[in-house]
Amino acid sequence: MPVIKSAGSALAATVCAALLLTGCTDAAPPAPAAGAKSPAPRPASGPQALPVRQIPGLGPDFRSRIPGGTRQALVVAGRTADTNTAQGVLYERDARGSWRPVAGPWPAHNALRGWTNDHHAGDLRTPVGVFGLGDAGGRSPDPGTRLPYDQDEEFVAPGTGFLGEPLEGSFDYVIAIDYNRVPGTSPLDKERPLGLEKGSGVWIHVDHEGPTQACISFQEDHMRRLLRALDPAKHPVIVMGPAPQLRR
């Protein structure tokens, strides 16, 4: 989760140390440029939307990265490689192989400096790719998800964000993105198969009205709806990155 440096460097160090224990663990950045506004939402989609053979906005490269057994795909697309606002839509695939939007579009935030194909701790960019979504948790009680859910008081986001916004409540609900982690474990698990230098604790979590360090964030109501919608039997994934790259 993003944390800006305050007037006292000691305070910033304390806040960063706390975040290292709870996920979203990239280091704090310098002050940001003027924040960009969220893109205007597209017309709402839902169960009545017509199925399509391919997910809109995904080119052959990213379509090929979605496993054949996956029947749920959360697509999160930013406008450019350097923007920190995005939009998410959840799609489901039917028995004929066609996709249908079932939730969204929802406004989202990603990392302060945008996106990267080679994520490293402290780069303040969100990794681009297709990653599994199999484990959830949070400080708040399970809202009714079918994913394994770890309710724990350690899901705490202290301090303030890049725009001075409070981070409290950001980890009330989280979904672990399977980037540099061991699937099948709590989002709080600290094992990093790629090493700490490749960044860690990349989650989907409650939005705090500002950019993140590496995570994706949605409004609290949308997080609850997403948690209830995701079904491990459908092998859900997140497809995320800047829209121009996702179209390739």
Side-chain angles (χ1 to χ4, degrees):
M1 272 327 71
V3 177
I4 58 172
K5 292 184 179 179
S6 62
S9 59
L11 175 59
T14 300
V15 171
C16 290
L19 285 177
L20 284 168
L21 298 177
T22 58
C24 295
T25 56
D26 288 347
K37 293 183 179 180
S38 297
R42 297 172 295 181
S45 59
Q48 302 305 314
L50 294 175
V52 291
R53 187 63 183 172
Q54 304 293 351
I55 296 176
L58 296 188
D61 179 20
F62 279 84
R63 292 200 303 264
S64 69
R65 299 190 199 186
I66 299 175
T70 288
R71 290 187 288 137
Q72 284 184 324
L74 174 65
V75 178
V76 179
R79 187 169 57 86
T80 73
D82 300 318
T83 51
N84 54 48
T85 56
Q87 188 169 258
V89 179
L90 179 64
Y91 292 88
E92 289 198 0
R93 179 157 51 184
D94 62 24
R96 297 182 178 181
S98 296
W99 292 92
R100 183 195 304 270
V102 295
W106 297 328
H109 278 100
N110 55 284
L112 176 70
R113 295 176 180 161
W115 303 88
T116 180
N117 295 302
D118 186 20
H119 180 55
H120 286 77
D123 65 9
L124 299 174
R125 290 183 179 271
T126 300
V128 174
V130 179
F131 307 99
L133 299 174
D135 302 288
R139 190 177 180 88
S140 295
D142 181 351
T145 185
R146 282 167 283 190
L147 301 177
Y149 190 89
D150 178 22
Q151 183 183 4
D152 199 302
E153 294 298 313
E154 289 189 28
F155 287 100
V156 177
T160 56
F162 294 112
L163 306 181
E165 75 281 10
L167 299 181
E168 183 179 0
S170 299
F171 299 163
D172 283 356
Y173 301 111
V174 309
I175 301 168
I177 295 172
D178 287 345
Y179 170 84
N180 197 16
R181 70 179 301 270
V182 178
T185 62
S186 165
L188 294 172
D189 184 75
K190 298 299 189 295
E191 186 172 349
R192 305 299 179 221
L194 302 178
L196 291 177
E197 70 279 1
K198 292 296 290 181
S200 59
V202 183
W203 296 346
I204 306 172
H205 62 76
V206 177
D207 189 63
H208 45 77
E209 303 299 330
T212 72
Q213 288 195 22
C215 299
I216 300 296
S217 63
F218 291 116
Q219 296 170 10
E220 183 174 357
D221 178 59
H222 297 157
M223 278 299 298
R224 285 194 292 264
R225 290 171 62 185
L226 179 61
L227 280 162
R228 292 172 186 144
L230 291 179
D231 183 353
K234 296 179 180 180
H235 306 288
V237 299
I238 184 170
V239 183
M240 58 185 191
Q245 184 174 352
L246 295 182
R247 288 194 292 268
R248 295 176 187 169

